[in-house]
Amino acid sequence: MGDFNLALVIVAIVVCVIVFISSIYLLVNYQHPDDANQAYFPKFVVVFGLSIAMISILMLPADVANRHACRHAIYNGACNLTLPMKELWLAVYIVDAILVFFVIPFAMFFYEGDQDKSLGKRIKSSLLWVVSTAVVCALVLGILYGVIGKVDFTVRHLASGTTSFPTSWQFSNNQPCIGNTARQCSAFTASVASEKTWTMRTTFPEYVVALATIVGSVLFTIFGGVGIASLPLGLITAFIRRPKAVITRSQYIKEATELGKKARELKKAADGLRQEEKDGAKGRKWRKNVKAVEKELLQLEEDVNLLEEAYPQGEKAETAWAFTVLGYLAKFILGIIGLIVSIAWVAHIIIYLLVDPPLSPFLNEVFIKLDDVWGLLGTAAFAFFCFYLLLAVIAGAMMLGLKLVFITIHPMKWGATLMNSFLFNVGLILLCSISVIQFCATAFGYYAQATAAQEIFGHTLQSLRGIKYLYKYNVFQIGFVILAGLTFLYYITFGWRRKKPSARFQLSS
């Protein structure tokens, strides 16, 4: 028993090192060339934030494995080498909240600050915004915690008589309790009036985690519900709308000329907005125009990439076209796999969470059977489903950012991602990771039972005064399923169609 628990600790340390290296790899390969050899503080925040996000997702499988390490322990002392998961959960999510609400905003203000100002003035300006935010958040948290920072548990008062210690035990299904007359225990015969509400004050760290989870749950319901459908269907529709053959040189020249003309129009519009900014005319109309130009720029870049795919150039043009074909084929295969996972997720939510009592444990039973095949196979599948949910959130945010005016676009592109976009997406991932864990702990409650995560995100969060009804009536789960269904209908109706040149910056027909 002790050897297995020690091995679990070693695996946890190794995984943390791998996560840190992976975060550095993502930063190095996604960063924009303009940020090379500078912006070191935002880069540190990005690496640290990505590491915390990935570790938090992996902690739930680790929590399950930690529980499995002690499932044969007869007494608590026989399992003293396991990880202190409850303390680790609280520490990770307090750090998560600090990063999302304070550190990342400071890094974004610092990065986007006027480069002509001195370092001290940029730090002062950024601190002014962050300190103001911190004061407001501290006041709101303090007031809420003082007024409604309590949990209400429904308990039942049980009582029974006593009897002499028997010389022989004669218990059976018909006689489960002591006594010759009653055939049921006090828990069954207690009246409804014996139910009472037991109120206690939750700890402040748990309260901070709960409120952060609520904020993340709103974003998770919107972005996750859209993304669970758009992630696989977007890959499949990309395959359907792929270029079927290489275009001719005359077609390429015609399209490139049109794109060059549109690029000059876009540059002229951007110069005009920049001049308005210098003149101090940064009103609502200006921000709306900036948003429109950002979307048109992204559409222009997408069209340029499509044109380059349809007409590969250079000595290795045939090789480039072959890789393009293979890339779209890979998208189709990954889209089919993702569609199966998405359908399994939505079906599991309906079967296990929305139907009371649950029709079947479904994926819980699958993970348990996989664990019987090999010790960590079910845990690995469990981690995959949690990670997939986080990817769905990112996909949903990207889709809505391109469709809706009031959502800011921060695209992640290989070798062309500025630090402000990096910081925004890391903040989104961190904020939604809390809700992903809470959602997984609830959805896979049968598999993850008796874990520290279920204690924090299950009993405490779902009994917290003021917000418990959101979980009692499955508000987030219902919203998630509805948005997933609407997005699926959108792709079935419009997604398969080839894009038409109706927008200002699209390829001509």
Side-chain angles (χ1 to χ4, degrees):
M1 179 65 66
D3 293 338
F4 179 81
N5 298 336
L6 184 59
L8 183 61
V9 175
I10 295 172
V11 168
I13 295 173
V14 172
V15 167
C16 289
V17 174
I18 294 175
V19 163
F20 180 73
I21 295 174
S22 301
S23 300
I24 295 177
Y25 175 81
L26 291 173
L27 173 68
V28 171
N29 287 279
Y30 271 91
Q31 70 173 345
H32 198 281
D34 292 346
D35 289 325
N37 301 318
Q38 61 177 337
Y40 291 108
F41 176 69
K43 289 178 181 178
F44 169 78
V45 174
V46 166
V47 171
F48 187 63
L50 283 174
S51 300
I52 292 294
M54 286 190 280
I55 288 173
S56 64
I57 296 296
L58 291 172
M59 276 180 64
L60 188 53
D63 200 351
V64 174
N66 199 55
R67 182 207 64 191
H68 286 171
C70 288
R71 59 184 172 181
H72 298 304
I74 298 176
Y75 62 97
N76 292 334
C79 204
N80 56 6
L81 291 178
T82 50
L83 300 172
M85 291 308 302
K86 185 173 182 179
E87 290 76 11
L88 288 174
W89 276 120
L90 293 177
V92 165
Y93 283 119
I94 290 296
V95 172
D96 191 310
I98 293 174
L99 283 172
V100 169
F101 296 107
F102 303 113
V103 178
I104 290 179
F106 172 82
M108 291 185 70
F109 286 130
F110 179 79
Y111 177 80
E112 296 175 348
D114 190 348
Q115 300 296 324
D116 296 332
K117 292 183 180 180
S118 64
L119 179 64
K121 289 185 177 180
R122 290 171 63 193
I123 294 176
K124 182 180 178 181
S125 176
S126 302
L127 281 175
L128 183 62
W129 283 99
V130 173
V131 169
S132 302
T133 305
V135 170
V136 173
C137 289
L139 288 174
V140 172
L141 282 174
I143 294 172
L144 289 176
Y145 181 71
V147 176
I148 57 174
K150 299 177 181 179
V151 288
D152 298 322
F153 297 107
T154 300
V155 296
R156 175 173 289 181
H157 179 74
L158 302 178
S160 64
T162 60
T163 187
S164 302
F165 196 81
T167 56
S168 62
W169 303 95
Q170 297 179 352
F171 296 124
S172 64
N173 292 333
N174 296 325
Q175 182 65 39
C177 302
I178 295 175
N180 296 322
T181 56
R183 297 298 178 184
Q184 291 181 324
C185 299
S186 299
F188 294 95
T189 58
S191 64
V192 178
S194 64
E195 287 190 356
K196 297 181 180 179
T197 300
W198 177 35
T199 300
M200 60 178 294
R201 183 170 293 278
T202 184
T203 63
F204 187 72
E206 289 182 339
Y207 192 73
V208 172
V209 171
L211 290 187
T213 303
I214 293 298
V215 176
S217 294
V218 175
L219 296 176
F220 167 77
T221 301
I222 298 172
F223 295 143
V226 172
I228 200 74
S230 66
L231 178 58
L233 294 178
L235 294 173
I236 295 173
T237 53
F239 173 80
I240 295 173
R241 297 187 301 201
R242 72 192 186 282
K244 303 297 190 300
V246 177
I247 62 176
T248 63
R249 181 174 178 81
S250 60
Q251 287 177 310
Y252 172 78
I253 294 174
K254 178 183 177 182
E255 300 290 357
T257 303
E258 184 68 21
L259 288 176
K261 179 182 177 181
K262 293 173 181 178
R264 287 189 294 272
E265 293 176 1
L266 183 58
K267 184 177 184 302
K268 183 179 178 180
D271 291 338
L273 291 172
R274 189 178 295 109
Q275 184 61 43
E276 290 182 12
E277 182 182 13
K278 290 182 179 180
D279 296 339
K282 294 175 62 175
R284 180 180 299 177
K285 183 178 179 181
W286 180 86
R287 288 191 293 269
K288 183 178 180 180
N289 290 333
V290 169
K291 176 72 173 177
V293 169
E294 286 178 348
K295 288 188 175 182
E296 291 174 347
L297 177 59
L298 286 175
Q299 185 63 59
L300 180 62
E301 291 177 350
E302 182 181 347
D303 290 341
V304 170
N305 292 332
L306 289 173
L307 184 59
E308 291 176 347
E309 287 181 351
Y311 188 77
Q313 303 179 61
E315 298 179 356
K316 299 181 179 180
E318 294 182 359
T319 304
W321 175 251
F323 276 112
T324 299
V325 174
L326 291 175
Y328 279 106
L329 183 61
K331 286 184 178 181
F332 178 72
I333 295 173
L334 291 175
I336 294 298
I337 296 173
L339 184 60
I340 295 172
V341 176
S342 294
I343 292 174
W345 251 120
V346 174
H348 180 78
I349 293 170
I350 296 173
I351 292 172
Y352 186 73
L353 293 180
L354 299 185
V355 178
D356 188 21
L359 296 177
S360 168
F362 195 34
L363 291 177
N364 290 284
E365 196 72 29
V366 173
F367 298 149
I368 293 172
K369 290 182 178 179
L370 289 175
D371 275 336
D372 293 336
V373 175
W374 180 58
L376 293 177
L377 190 58
T379 304
F382 178 50
F384 169 76
F385 271 81
C386 294
F387 258 114
Y388 184 84
L389 211 54
L390 190 60
L391 292 176
V393 170
I394 299 172
M398 290 299 299
M399 178 185 174
L400 292 178
L402 292 172
K403 299 295 181 184
L404 303 179
V405 176
F406 55 86
I407 297 179
T408 304
I409 307 172
H410 288 276
M412 293 282 291
K413 293 187 177 181
W414 188 270
T417 305
L418 294 172
M419 277 301 112
N420 59 342
S421 295
F422 235 133
L423 289 166
F424 176 86
N425 285 287
V426 170
L428 177 64
I429 292 171
L430 282 169
L431 189 58
C432 291
S433 65
I434 303 178
S435 301
V436 169
I437 293 300
Q438 188 273 331
F439 195 85
C440 289
T442 304
F444 303 129
Y446 183 65
Y447 180 71
Q449 59 183 331
T451 57
Q454 198 172 53
E455 179 182 350
I456 296 174
F457 298 110
H459 311 304
T460 301
L461 182 61
Q462 296 177 14
S463 301
L464 198 63
R465 184 176 295 179
I467 62 176
K468 61 182 180 180
Y469 298 103
L470 295 174
Y471 296 97
K472 181 179 180 180
Y473 297 108
N474 297 320
V475 173
F476 297 122
Q477 291 91 334
I478 293 173
F480 185 94
V481 172
I482 291 174
L483 287 173
L486 292 175
T487 306
F488 180 79
L489 291 176
Y490 168 82
Y491 269 94
I492 293 298
T493 306
F494 306 106
W496 58 272
R497 299 178 183 176
R498 183 177 294 275
K499 290 184 179 179
K500 297 181 180 180
S502 56
R504 288 181 56 192
F505 295 95
Q506 287 189 337
L507 292 173
S508 61
S509 57

